[in-house]
Coordinates of all heavy atoms in Angstrom, one line a residue:
A11 N 34.4 -3.8 -4.5 CA 33.7 -3.8 -3.2 C 32.8 -5.0 -3.1 O 32.7 -5.7 -2.1 CB 32.9 -2.5 -3.0
L12 N 32.1 -5.3 -4.2 CA 31.2 -6.4 -4.3 C 31.9 -7.7 -4.1 O 31.5 -8.6 -3.3 CB 30.4 -6.4 -5.6 CG 29.3 -7.5 -5.8 CD1 28.2 -7.3 -4.7 CD2 28.8 -7.5 -7.1
I13 N 33.0 -7.9 -4.8 CA 33.7 -9.2 -4.7 C 34.4 -9.3 -3.3 O 34.2 -10.4 -2.7 CB 34.8 -9.3 -5.8 CG1 34.1 -9.4 -7.2 CG2 35.7 -10.5 -5.6 CD1 35.0 -9.3 -8.4
S14 N 35.1 -8.3 -2.9 CA 35.7 -8.4 -1.6 C 34.8 -8.5 -0.4 O 35.0 -9.3 0.5 CB 36.8 -7.3 -1.4 OG 36.1 -6.1 -1.4
G15 N 33.7 -7.7 -0.4 CA 32.7 -7.7 0.6 C 32.0 -9.1 0.7 O 31.8 -9.6 1.8
T16 N 31.6 -9.6 -0.5 CA 30.8 -10.8 -0.5 C 31.7 -12.0 0.0 O 31.3 -12.8 0.7 CB 30.3 -11.1 -1.9 OG1 29.5 -10.0 -2.3 CG2 29.5 -12.4 -2.0
S17 N 33.0 -12.0 -0.5 CA 33.9 -13.1 -0.1 C 34.1 -13.0 1.4 O 34.3 -14.0 2.1 CB 35.2 -13.1 -0.9 OG 35.8 -11.9 -0.7
T18 N 34.2 -11.8 2.0 CA 34.5 -11.6 3.4 C 33.2 -12.1 4.2 O 33.4 -12.8 5.2 CB 34.8 -10.2 3.8 OG1 35.9 -9.8 3.0 CG2 35.1 -10.0 5.2
I19 N 32.0 -11.8 3.7 CA 30.8 -12.3 4.4 C 30.7 -13.8 4.3 O 30.4 -14.5 5.3 CB 29.6 -11.7 3.7 CG1 29.5 -10.2 4.1 CG2 28.3 -12.4 4.2 CD1 28.4 -9.4 3.4
L20 N 31.1 -14.4 3.2 CA 31.0 -15.9 3.0 C 32.0 -16.5 4.0 O 31.7 -17.6 4.6 CB 31.3 -16.3 1.6 CG 30.2 -15.9 0.6 CD1 30.6 -16.3 -0.8 CD2 28.9 -16.7 1.0
F21 N 33.2 -15.9 4.1 CA 34.2 -16.4 5.0 C 33.7 -16.4 6.5 O 33.9 -17.3 7.3 CB 35.5 -15.6 4.9 CG 36.6 -16.1 5.8 CD1 37.1 -17.4 5.6 CD2 37.1 -15.3 6.8 CE1 38.2 -17.9 6.4 CE2 38.2 -15.7 7.6 CZ 38.7 -17.0 7.4
G22 N 33.0 -15.3 6.8 CA 32.4 -15.2 8.1 C 31.3 -16.2 8.4 O 31.2 -16.7 9.5
V23 N 30.5 -16.5 7.3 CA 29.5 -17.6 7.5 C 30.2 -18.9 7.8 O 29.7 -19.7 8.6 CB 28.6 -17.6 6.2 CG1 27.7 -18.9 6.2 CG2 27.8 -16.4 6.1
V24 N 31.3 -19.2 7.1 CA 32.0 -20.4 7.3 C 32.5 -20.5 8.8 O 32.5 -21.5 9.4 CB 33.2 -20.6 6.3 CG1 34.1 -21.7 6.7 CG2 32.6 -20.8 4.9
L25 N 33.0 -19.3 9.2 CA 33.5 -19.2 10.6 C 32.4 -19.4 11.7 O 32.7 -19.5 12.8 CB 34.3 -18.0 10.8 CG 35.7 -17.9 10.1 CD1 36.3 -16.6 10.4 CD2 36.5 -19.1 10.6
L26 N 31.2 -19.3 11.3 CA 30.1 -19.5 12.2 C 30.0 -20.9 12.7 O 29.7 -21.2 13.8 CB 28.7 -19.1 11.7 CG 28.5 -17.6 11.5 CD1 27.1 -17.3 10.8 CD2 28.6 -16.8 12.8
V27 N 30.4 -21.9 11.8 CA 30.4 -23.3 12.2 C 31.8 -23.8 12.6 O 31.9 -24.8 13.2 CB 29.8 -24.1 11.0 CG1 28.3 -23.9 10.9 CG2 30.5 -24.0 9.7
L28 N 32.8 -23.1 12.1 CA 34.2 -23.4 12.5 C 34.6 -22.4 13.6 O 34.0 -21.4 13.8 CB 35.1 -23.2 11.3 CG 34.9 -24.2 10.1 CD1 35.8 -23.8 9.0 CD2 35.1 -25.6 10.5
P29 N 35.7 -22.8 14.3 CA 36.1 -21.8 15.4 C 36.7 -20.6 14.8 O 37.5 -20.6 13.9 CB 37.2 -22.6 16.1 CG 37.3 -24.0 15.5 CD 36.4 -24.0 14.3
G30 N 36.2 -19.5 15.2 CA 36.6 -18.2 14.7 C 35.6 -17.1 14.9 O 34.4 -17.4 15.2
P31 N 36.0 -15.9 14.6 CA 35.1 -14.7 14.8 C 34.2 -14.5 13.6 O 34.3 -13.5 12.8 CB 36.0 -13.6 15.0 CG 37.2 -13.9 14.2 CD 37.3 -15.4 14.3
G32 N 33.2 -15.4 13.4 CA 32.3 -15.3 12.2 C 31.5 -14.0 12.1 O 31.5 -13.4 11.0
L33 N 30.9 -13.6 13.2 CA 30.1 -12.3 13.2 C 31.0 -11.1 12.9 O 30.5 -10.2 12.2 CB 29.4 -12.2 14.5 CG 28.3 -13.2 14.8 CD1 27.7 -12.9 16.1 CD2 27.2 -13.1 13.7
L34 N 32.2 -11.1 13.3 CA 33.1 -10.0 13.0 C 33.4 -9.9 11.5 O 33.4 -8.8 11.0 CB 34.4 -10.2 13.8 CG 35.5 -9.1 13.6 CD1 35.0 -7.8 14.2 CD2 36.8 -9.5 14.3
F35 N 33.6 -11.1 10.9 CA 33.9 -11.0 9.4 C 32.6 -10.7 8.6 O 32.7 -10.0 7.6 CB 34.5 -12.4 9.0 CG 35.9 -12.5 9.2 CD1 36.5 -13.0 10.3 CD2 36.8 -12.0 8.2 CE1 37.8 -13.0 10.6 CE2 38.2 -12.0 8.4 CZ 38.7 -12.6 9.6
I36 N 31.5 -11.1 9.1 CA 30.2 -10.7 8.5 C 30.0 -9.2 8.5 O 29.7 -8.5 7.5 CB 29.0 -11.5 9.1 CG1 29.1 -13.0 8.7 CG2 27.7 -10.9 8.6 CD1 28.1 -13.9 9.4
A37 N 30.3 -8.6 9.7 CA 30.2 -7.2 9.9 C 31.2 -6.5 9.0 O 30.9 -5.4 8.4 CB 30.4 -6.8 11.3
L38 N 32.4 -7.0 8.9 CA 33.5 -6.4 8.1 C 33.1 -6.4 6.6 O 33.3 -5.5 5.9 CB 34.8 -7.1 8.3 CG 36.0 -6.6 7.5 CD1 36.3 -5.2 7.9 CD2 37.2 -7.5 7.8
G39 N 32.5 -7.5 6.2 CA 32.1 -7.7 4.8 C 31.0 -6.7 4.5 O 31.0 -6.0 3.4
L40 N 30.0 -6.5 5.4 CA 29.0 -5.5 5.2 C 29.6 -4.1 5.2 O 29.1 -3.3 4.4 CB 28.0 -5.6 6.4 CG 26.8 -6.6 6.2 CD1 25.9 -6.6 7.4 CD2 26.0 -6.2 4.9
A41 N 30.6 -3.8 6.0 CA 31.2 -2.5 6.0 C 31.9 -2.2 4.7 O 31.8 -1.1 4.1 CB 32.2 -2.4 7.1
I42 N 32.5 -3.3 4.1 CA 33.1 -3.1 2.8 C 32.0 -2.8 1.7 O 32.2 -1.9 0.9 CB 33.9 -4.4 2.4 CG1 35.2 -4.5 3.3 CG2 34.4 -4.3 0.9 CD1 35.9 -5.8 3.2
L43 N 31.0 -3.6 1.8 CA 29.9 -3.4 0.8 C 29.2 -2.0 1.0 O 28.8 -1.4 0.0 CB 28.8 -4.5 0.9 CG 29.3 -5.9 0.4 CD1 28.2 -6.9 0.8 CD2 29.5 -5.9 -1.1
A44 N 29.1 -1.6 2.3 CA 28.5 -0.3 2.6 C 29.2 0.9 2.0 O 28.6 2.0 1.9 CB 28.3 -0.1 4.1

Side-chain angles (χ1 to χ4, degrees):
L12 182 63
I13 292 169
S14 61
T16 303
S17 59
T18 304
I19 289 173
L20 290 175
F21 182 64
V23 169
V24 169
L25 287 180
L26 289 176
V27 293
L28 297 175
L33 291 177
L34 180 66
F35 277 92
I36 291 172
L38 180 62
L40 272 176
I42 293 169
L43 289 171

